[in-house]
Amino acid sequence: MSNEIKNVEYGLEKIFEGAQDFLPLLGTDYVEFIVGNAKQAAHYYKTAFGYQSLAYAGLETGVRDRASYVLQQGKIRLVLTTPLTGESELNNHIVKHGDAVKVVALWVEDARKSFEETVSRGAKPYMEPTVETDEFGEVVRSGIYTYGETVHMFVERKNYTGAFLPGYREWKSDYNPAPTGLKYVDHMVGNVGWNEMNIWVKWYEEVMGFVNFLSFDDKQINTEYSALMSKVMSNGNGRIKFPINEPAEGAKRSQIEEYLDFYGGPGVQHIAIATDDIIKTVSDLKSRGVEFLSAPPQAYYDAVPDRLGVHRDAFKEDIKEIQKLAIMVDADEEGYLLQIFTKPVEDRPTLFYEIIQRMGARGFGAGNFKALFESIEREQELRGTL
Ligand code: FE2
C-alpha cells in the first residue's frame, strides 16, 4: 500500500508517497470566521472553549470597515471578524452562510511561490501575494478559493515577530478563562454538493499536491435512514488533513444535505481539535456549557473491547468515565482513538467541533460512524430536517 503512513511523528519529512510538496505546508496558520457579532463570538470561544486573547484589529487600530478578534489555544488560532457597516461585502457572507468559516489559512515557507504553483495548476485566485509590514517585520500572504466561498490563504511569517499579523495589535484582556487542553487542528472537514466529492479530491491532488489516503463509501457510512461518502485528503507531511464529504441517497435526508441547505452551498462542516487528555478536556468543556451529541446506546459501550481488538491491553482510560461523558472509541491497525462531537455551535445546523485524542490510531473513527450518525439523526429529527 503506497499511501500507508510510514512515520507516526508529524515531521516535515514526506510520509505519504505520491504527495507533491511544491508548497510545502508547515501547518494550519489560522481559521477565520465571518460572524455577525465578533465581540460576543470571542467571548463564547474564551468562556466555553478556553481560548486566550491574542490580537485585535478594528476602529481603535485604524481599521474602519471591520473588527477582528484573534484567539489562541495551543497551536490553534481563530480569527473572528465582523463587518462594521451595512456597506461591507462581508454582510453578504453572513446573509448567505450565517456565522461561518471563510478562511483556512496555511503556514508556508513562501507565499508567492505557493500562489504561483497553485494558480498555475488551476486554482482560482482570491488574493495576489501581498506584503504587509509593521514595526515587527513583514508577512507575505496570498490566497486561493477552494470549495464554495471558502478560501485558503498562504501565510509566510518567517520575517515577523508580532502577535499575529501587521495591522493587529496585541490584545490584553482582564478576562482570561483557563484553557481546556486544546492543542492543534487535527483535521478540517468540508461538505460539498451531490457528485462533487471527486471533483474536489482531484482539485486537492492536482492543485495542492495532496493524496487521498482513506475513502469511505455509502456502504460503510450509512444508517437505516441516510448515507454519505467521504475521502480524506492529506498533504505530504501529514500535517494538513481535509476529509471531503458528499451526500448519498438514503431513505431520508442525509446530514450533508441538511448542511448544504442551511449553509447555502459547500463549506466547512467540522473542525477536529486534538487533546492529550480527552476526559479532562470534555469534562471541562461540558462544565462551561459546550453541548455534545447524546451518548450512543449501552450496546455500543459493551462492544468497545471488541472494537479495540489487539489494542485492548493498551487502553488506559476508565470505560465508565468514557461512557459517562459520551466519548466514542475506535481502533485501527496502529492504535486507538477517542473522539466526541459537539452539537452545531450556531443556530443553523452547520458548523460543529470534534474533540479527538489519538492513541496511535491514524483513522477517523470509521467504527463510530454508524453510532455517530444515528446520534446526529436524532438531532435532525428534532429539527424536522431528517
Ligand atoms: Fe472528523
Side-chain angles (χ1 to χ4, degrees), residues 31 33 44-45 49 51 76 78 80 101 182 269-273 290-293 340-346 350-355:
V31 180
F33 298 69
Y44 170 73
Y45 279 105
F49 285 88
Y51 283 89
I76 314 152
L78 305 183
L80 302 158
V101 173
L182 306 180
Q269 178 213 38
H270 76 265
I271 304 174
I273 297 177
V290 176
E291 295 178 318
F292 291 90
L293 291 175
I340 189 168
F341 298 82
T342 71
K343 292 183 181 180
V345 290
E346 295 153 1
T350 53
L351 179 74
F352 61 88
Y353 287 90
E354 172 182 351
I355 308 297

Side-chain angles (χ1 to χ4, degrees), residues 73 109 136 216 230 235 244 361:
Q73 187 169 181
E109 271 296 311
F136 300 106
F216 307 102
S230 187
N235 77 321
I244 316 251

